[in-house]
Amino acid sequence: MEKYNHKDIESKWQKHWLETGAFKIDKDDTSKPKYYILDMFPYPSGDGLHMGHTESYTASDVYYRFKKMQGFNVLHPQGFDAFGLPAENYAIKTKVHPAETTEKNINTYIGQMKMLGLAYDFDEKAVTSDPKYYKWTQWIFSQFYKNDLVYKKTSKTNWCSSCQTVIANEQVVDGKCERCGAEIIQKEVPGWFFKITDFADDLITGLEKIDWPEHTKKNQVNWIGKSEGAEIEFRIQNSELKIKVFTTRPDTLFGATYMVLAPEHPIIENLENRIQNLGEVKNYIERAKNKTEMDRIEAKEKTGVKLEGIFAINPATQEEIPVFIADYVLGGYGTGAIMAVPAHDERDLEFAKKYNLKIEPVVSPMIVENRDPLIKHSEQKGVLEFIGDVRSGKKCFSESGYLVNSGKFTDMYNIEAKKEITKFVGGKMTTNYRLRDWSISRQRYWGCPIPVVYSPDGEAHLVPEENLPWTLPADVDFVPTGISPLAKSKELKERTEKIFGEGWVPEYDTMDTFVDSSWYFLRYPDPHNEKEFCSETRKKWLPVDLYIGGAEHTYMHLLFARFFVKAMNKIGLVNFDEPFQRLRHQGMVLDGQGKKMSKSKGNVINPNDMVNRFGADSVRTYMLFAAPLEDEVMWNEDNIVGVYRFLEKMWRLSSKVKGGELKVENKIQNLLHKTIKKVSNDIDNLKYNTAVSAMMILINDMEKEEEIARQDYESFLKILSPFAPHITEELWQILGNTNSIHNEPWPKFDENLMKDTSYTVVIQINGKVRAEIQVEEGTSDDDVKKLAMEQEASKKWMAGNEPKKVIYVKNKLVNIVI
RNA sequence: GCCUGGGUGGCGGAAUUGGUAUACGCGCACGACUUAAAAUCGUGUCUCGCAAGAGAUGCGGGUUCGACUCCCGCCCUAGGCACCA
């Protein structure tokens, strides 16, 4: 037999699969249960596929092949998130049109995916920059518009002066542009928004019914940031002006001893003539303006300035309290103003100590010790001591308890007091969310045009459905000037006037690319449909059963996609309200030293090089063997040889295969069936690393045999085939099979063959292992215990003592306690 | 500061309804084959100890016949973030 030659084998089968349409499926076949497994589609960058993609896509490919062999009709599509800034930035530099670069990059990606043996049908791909695709992005926008889920407003937004475009809050990293790294400044810009906040509650409750990693769910909940509390107004002394605060602790209102406003709070302008230290205040506001949100968050020490001459009235106590501005209070959250209760909030206490402000305790824990039942809780000795400690700043109490120093509410349980006190001062209970509406307008060229035109009076109108796709004009100059590139297109201007009339102008902004990727999984079942985004019959494929991708998409992409589906469900476009039933993340791929790969470090590993050297089967299997899927993988070239040797062993083992009715060693069948069971369960749970190791154990045992029964070897090939599709196909063919191994049914394990006739039982004396015995299947518990105690080693360690207790764990161990 | 993970041999990692810690792989050492090397195969490989044995899953406690696994308190580390009122 010839030596294992991965290059010849892999190119042979890749060609064969392509020619025979091995990865095509009949999407209308209803004879089998459906399974939809999805990868997060890549942005086709000029750098090509990276190792992270390789791991993620291999993981889904293994699952696809497994499910297919189990008899499912499996949809396993791939596409490209093709709009975006890098292609446009490249165009600015080189004048090469983004459409051209994008197409080139996509072809590179497809070639690389084929090299890895990934089973995608690229005739069925979705490409977001293709007018046939974005027609439906625009159509969905229109549906949202008609259903009052889109609105336009002018708002202070993050502006990247380098990209000359608005950046979503979620896309700002360290106060810098996520894509180009330039500083983000605040700028007033008009734009379109999606009402994602309408679904804030649904986005939280929907998490309960989907199988996602717990930490991902928690992070989404935290991101949405629901908090229940009250809005309460504080009057400014000697004025009609009022400041509204949002607080989760209205029960502590009697302890509010000062207020803090965000530096951008509008009321400050109205108070200018009364602020005695206006210069200092303006100076502070100016400095805060130049700070990015991240700077404000990261500041070690809280800073602030008192508004001299200004006092607010605590509506509960009617006391005059000082007012500060401080940049740790954010204009964009709540009402941009807080009441401060230093006795019951750590941050307020820190600030109060720094500026020497009054601390007034108003909640005390229930103190049980030395309690006199005839005296009210608030007058108990222990409570009075506690109050003293808090008042002196020694401690801060932020938990639940009973009110003190709170007028007629004293001695009430604080949770009950929330509503009562709010009512008392004329406030109202409200729910506040951290989540903001999604700004989707971008002043960029390479994106999906917003299908809106403006009549001469400036009113916005949707582009009618018959004019979709509302295409991206080709005649533009990409160089950013602060106005949208589309404004420079003669063709777009003429097109608009021709269709709508003289004086009509098109919307010049394009959409955030996260819009494109918020619905792409709805397109895959029916990507060529020109009448609908997806036909009713093809909607049977939805929702996605298993979604695999990086944890970096926890907040933006996964939240936006969920919002899209919920909105579309509300409109009646889909009949489910969660897009991804099961979600799993893959970890990062690091270099051999455990460092992140990056161009600047020069440690980027190209998947093609690895495939050339070790073969796709080895690269695939090693990626999944090296670490659990969700963990980081260190790409250590020295270790991949272990997997390569394993595949070589598989190759050589085929020469021991005997056909016909060969009588087989029972021992191998026992292990084989155990392995089939373990590999099946492990794949189903995406525990690929232990599945591979189980197969390594099996081959080490099989190697020792003189002869291998054909059916045993074939079963082994089948369970290996999802990981190493090429070598298994080749060996399958060498055995004389004419069909593809990948269309074979998944091997079944036989519980009878897995039964053991005897077990090794460990003997412990006081929990320490002292001996082991072989116990025949079916031996009674008492007999095993007796046998254990009769052992020489047991007698020695028992040293004549009578056992206090003997514990027997079936077929595992006996623990003799003396 | 807060949130979420993670800490097991020289290295990647395995083991949880609490039951033989270190599977599998890499590396290393020795041996076989070879003129030699590579490849392959075999044996060994947590630490201390001549041995009997003892100790070890970040550290310190606890529960238990028995703890990597559960509880309490720390330390270190990675990633994420929202000082959220």
Side-chain angles (χ1 to χ4, degrees):
Chain A
M1 186 171 193
E2 280 176 37
K3 210 170 168 287
Y4 169 46
N5 180 330
H6 64 80
K7 273 192 186 165
D8 292 352
I9 293 169
E10 290 179 0
S11 57
K12 167 184 164 187
W13 287 109
Q14 282 166 15
K15 192 162 163 266
H16 178 84
W17 292 331
L18 199 65
E19 284 168 3
T20 55
F23 307 142
K24 293 196 176 296
I25 64 164
D26 178 0
K27 289 180 181 171
D28 297 314
D29 177 7
T30 52
S31 67
K32 294 184 228 168
K34 73 100 183 177
Y35 199 90
Y36 183 1
I37 176 164
L38 181 70
D39 292 298
M40 289 183 182
F41 66 168
Y43 173 78
S45 95
D47 301 333
L49 207 66
H50 59 69
M51 293 303 276
H53 293 130
T54 307
E55 187 193 12
S56 175
Y57 298 160
T58 303
S60 71
D61 197 65
V62 169
Y63 207 84
Y64 153 80
R65 292 169 185 279
F66 171 66
K67 276 298 196 188
K68 189 179 166 194
M69 290 171 83
Q70 281 193 327
F72 288 82
N73 197 21
V74 189
L75 179 59
H76 177 225
Q78 186 57 288
F80 297 92
D81 189 14
F83 275 135
L85 288 183
E88 187 164 346
N89 288 338
Y90 186 76
I92 293 163
K93 244 193 278 174
T94 65
K95 304 284 173 209
V96 180
H97 196 280
E100 205 178 301
T101 351
T102 301
E103 196 191 340
K104 186 172 153 257
N105 292 345
I106 285 175
N107 287 331
T108 306
Y109 271 63
I110 289 177
Q112 288 180 296
M113 289 176 184
K114 285 178 181 167
M115 264 184 91
L116 283 160
L118 299 172
Y120 299 122
D121 178 1
F122 290 106
D123 294 337
E124 296 286 297
K125 66 182 179 295
V127 178
T128 58
S129 60
D130 183 342
K132 287 180 197 141
Y133 178 89
Y134 70 67
K135 170 181 178 176
W136 299 105
T137 308
Q138 293 170 335
W139 184 84
I140 295 166
F141 174 94
S142 305
Q143 302 308 307
F144 282 10
Y145 189 98
K146 288 174 188 168
N147 286 277
D148 198 27
L149 292 168
V150 187
Y151 64 99
K152 195 172 191 183
K153 71 170 177 185
T154 300
S155 66
K156 218 176 212 180
T157 42
N158 300 306
W159 177 265
C160 173
S161 47
S162 165
C163 302
Q164 291 282 315
T165 184
V166 175
I167 302 291
N169 232 334
E170 293 86 335
Q171 289 164 304
V172 180
V173 177
D174 289 340
K176 296 191 172 74
C177 174
E178 185 188 54
R179 306 249 170 167
C180 75
E183 285 292 328
I184 300 298
I185 57 162
Q186 299 293 303
K187 187 176 172 177
E188 202 70 36
V189 173
W192 293 95
F193 285 76
F194 282 157
K195 285 189 187 171
I196 188 170
T197 54
D198 276 12
F199 296 85
D201 271 324
D202 296 335
L203 287 167
I204 294 170
T205 55
L207 293 168
E208 285 167 22
K209 59 183 177 188
I210 50 181
D211 175 12
W212 285 25
E214 281 307 314
H215 68 267
T216 307
K217 289 186 185 181
K218 272 185 199 161
N219 284 335
Q220 286 218 343
V221 170
N222 291 343
W223 186 267
I224 295 163
K226 180 177 184 171
S227 56
E228 305 199 37
E231 276 180 5
I232 293 169
E233 287 184 328
F234 283 59
R235 194 167 53 80
I236 300 289
Q237 186 201 33
N238 302 326
S239 158
E240 289 302 303
L241 293 172
K242 286 174 175 170
I243 302 171
K244 194 188 272 181
V245 304
F246 173 75
T247 177
T248 54
R249 295 295 305 274
D251 52 306
T252 63
L253 182 57
F254 284 81
T257 54
Y258 64 96
M259 294 186 78
V260 187
L261 312 181
E264 53 267 58
H265 200 288
I267 203 165
I268 296 164
E269 242 173 79
N270 298 322
L271 292 171
E272 276 190 3
N273 52 1
R274 293 178 51 189
I275 299 172
Q276 289 160 7
N277 57 339
L278 189 61
E280 193 190 353
V281 169
K282 283 205 160 171
N283 196 350
Y284 185 84
I285 293 172
E286 208 44 50
R287 268 183 292 145
K289 221 181 245 175
N290 291 334
K291 279 190 195 174
T292 63
E293 205 166 286
M294 213 52 188
D295 286 339
R296 283 165 67 164
I297 289 161
E298 281 175 348
K300 297 278 176 292
E301 204 180 332
K302 293 174 186 21
T303 61
V305 175
K306 190 176 172 189
L307 302 181
E308 298 288 354
I310 306 291
F311 288 93
I313 307 296
N314 180 322
T317 62
Q318 299 302 322
E319 254 179 76
E320 288 174 9
I321 58 172
V323 181
F324 286 76
I325 57 168
D327 64 11
Y328 78 90
V329 174
L330 304 173
Y333 181 80
T335 60
I338 63 162
M339 64 177 215
V341 187
H344 304 293
D345 183 289
E346 291 280 0
R347 279 164 302 137
D348 294 347
L349 179 63
E350 191 193 322
F351 194 85
K353 279 182 176 170
K354 185 173 171 185
Y355 293 95
N356 205 17
L357 300 159
K358 188 179 167 193
I359 302 167
E360 182 63 24
V362 291
V363 186
S364 157
M366 174 57 79
I367 291 169
V368 185
E369 287 164 62
N370 305 323
R371 205 175 163 204
D372 184 340
L374 299 176
I375 301 177
K376 283 196 244 171
H377 175 256
S378 55
E379 289 162 10
Q380 296 282 337
K381 195 171 159 241
V383 172
L384 295 175
E385 272 170 26
F386 174 84
I387 290 170
D389 282 353
V390 174
R391 185 169 281 143
S392 65
K394 262 192 231 166
K395 56 171 101 160
C396 180
F397 180 69
S398 54
E399 284 149 56
S400 283
Y402 289 82
L403 298 194
V404 296
N405 301 329
S406 295
K408 64 178 180 180
F409 302 100
T410 297
D411 289 314
M412 191 181 271
Y413 183 49
N414 79 314
I415 304 293
E416 285 166 29
K418 288 188 182 204
K419 246 188 213 162
E420 298 297 319
I421 292 180
T422 302
K423 204 171 140 197
F424 173 63
V425 297
K428 62 168 187 183
M429 300 299 287
T430 58
T431 303
N432 200 29
Y433 299 91
R434 178 195 164 278
L435 184 70
R436 292 168 222 175
D437 276 338
W438 176 11
S439 160
I440 61 153
S441 294
R442 298 291 179 274
Q443 293 68 44
R444 299 300 299 187
Y445 171 69
W446 193 234
C448 175
I450 295 173
V452 166
V453 288
Y454 299 91
S455 50
D457 59 6
E459 202 187 323
H461 301 264
L462 277 179
V463 172
E465 199 175 325
E466 64 263 29
N467 294 309
L468 299 183
W470 186 244
T471 55
L472 194 58
D475 60 331
V476 296
D477 175 11
F478 312 115
V479 180
T481 54
I483 55 162
S484 294
L486 297 201
K488 298 173 215 160
S489 165
K490 208 175 144 206
E491 185 272 313
L492 183 63
K493 187 169 182 289
E494 287 172 0
R495 188 204 311 170
T496 306
E497 293 209 320
K498 191 178 159 205
I499 296 172
F500 300 97
E502 207 175 311
W504 286 64
V505 290
E507 165 69 58
Y508 295 131
D509 288 352
T510 53
M511 293 187 213
D512 178 5
T513 56
F514 275 113
V515 179
D516 310 323
S517 58
S518 290
W519 75 278
Y520 73 109
F521 45 91
L522 304 175
R523 184 62 172 166
Y524 286 133
D526 204 3
H528 303 297
N529 194 329
E530 292 181 8
K531 300 269 191 294
E532 297 164 280
F533 74 88
C534 180
S535 71
E536 284 307 313
T537 45
R538 292 286 177 87
K539 279 182 190 169
K540 277 185 300 211
W541 281 100
L542 302 167
V544 172
D545 294 293
L546 174 63
Y547 196 25
I548 298 180
E552 68 273 17
H553 290 112
T554 298
Y555 302 109
M556 303 174 240
H557 165 60
L558 288 171
L559 208 55
F560 291 152
R562 293 182 63 222
F563 155 67
F564 253 62
V565 161
K566 286 181 188 300
M568 290 175 79
N569 177 58
K570 193 180 170 192
I571 297 170
L573 301 175
V574 295
N575 62 2
F576 52 92
D577 64 358
E578 282 294 340
F580 315 119
Q581 295 301 302
R582 194 175 174 211
L583 171 75
R584 293 294 181 269
H585 299 300
Q586 94 279 357
M588 264 187 294
V589 182
L590 307 173
D591 74 3
Q593 276 69 50
K595 299 248 163 53
K596 269 193 193 176
M597 293 185 193
S598 73
K599 257 188 177 172
S600 56
K601 282 189 213 143
N603 59 350
V604 176
I605 291 161
N606 182 339
N608 287 40
D609 294 346
M610 295 300 126
V611 169
N612 279 325
R613 284 169 56 193
F614 303 104
D617 286 338
S618 293
V619 169
R620 291 168 58 111
T621 310
Y622 175 60
M623 293 232 79
L624 302 178
F625 171 65
L629 182 63
E630 65 277 13
D631 287 5
E632 294 167 339
V633 176
M634 286 196 208
W635 186 260
N636 189 331
E637 270 182 44
D638 297 332
N639 288 353
I640 194 174
V641 302
V643 167
Y644 194 85
R645 282 176 195 156
F646 165 63
L647 295 180
E648 275 187 317
K649 283 181 195 174
M650 201 70 204
W651 184 259
R652 288 197 305 262
L653 198 62
S654 67
S655 62
K656 290 185 177 178
V657 172
K658 294 290 177 290
E661 294 296 309
L662 177 74
K663 193 172 174 298
V664 288
E665 281 291 324
N666 203 42
K667 193 180 136 218
I668 286 300
Q669 283 216 327
N670 180 290
L671 184 62
L672 174 70
H673 283 261
K674 282 179 178 168
T675 307
I676 293 170
K677 183 178 182 179
K678 176 156 178 65
V679 171
S680 307
N681 289 338
D682 281 354
I683 293 178
D684 213 14
N685 294 313
L686 292 106
K687 291 165 91 178
Y688 296 136
N689 54 328
T690 48
V692 174
S693 104
M695 290 188 282
M696 286 174 166
I697 292 169
L698 176 61
I699 203 163
N700 289 344
D701 247 38
M702 270 197 178
E703 256 194 330
K704 291 173 191 148
E705 302 297 326
E706 288 300 314
E707 293 184 332
I708 306 293
R710 178 179 170 132
Q711 61 175 26
D712 291 350
Y713 185 75
E714 288 189 346
S715 292
F716 193 178
L717 278 184
K718 286 177 196 170
I719 59 172
L720 176 61
S721 69
F723 296 88
H726 310 84
I727 188 175
T728 47
E729 184 83 304
E730 177 74 11
L731 289 167
W732 179 253
Q733 190 200 38
I734 288 172
L735 290 176
N737 296 295
T738 51
N739 60 337
S740 169
I741 190 170
H742 304 297
N743 292 328
E744 283 292 300
W746 187 255
K748 290 196 167 54
F749 51 86
D750 183 341
E751 294 278 359
N752 288 323
L753 290 170
M754 288 161 54
K755 277 189 189 142
D756 291 310
T757 53
S758 72
Y759 298 91
T760 302
V761 171
V762 163
I763 299 168
Q764 294 183 337
I765 313 293
N766 284 346
K768 293 219 177 261
V769 179
R770 297 301 182 190
E772 57 181 50
I773 48 174
Q774 282 300 119
V775 174
E776 294 300 312
E777 164 70 31
T779 312
S780 76
D781 291 8
D782 284 344
D783 287 349
V784 175
K785 287 183 191 174
K786 211 172 129 199
L787 200 61
M789 284 189 284
E790 282 165 0
Q791 297 299 304
E792 276 305 311
S794 307
K795 283 182 186 159
K796 180 185 156 196
W797 286 95
M798 286 162 72
N801 292 306
E802 274 304 303
K804 282 183 199 148
K805 208 197 259 186
V806 179
I807 293 147
Y808 175 45
V809 182
K810 190 91 181 153
N811 300 335
K812 284 210 169 133
L813 67 77
V814 176
N815 189 9
I816 301 165
V817 186
I818 54 167

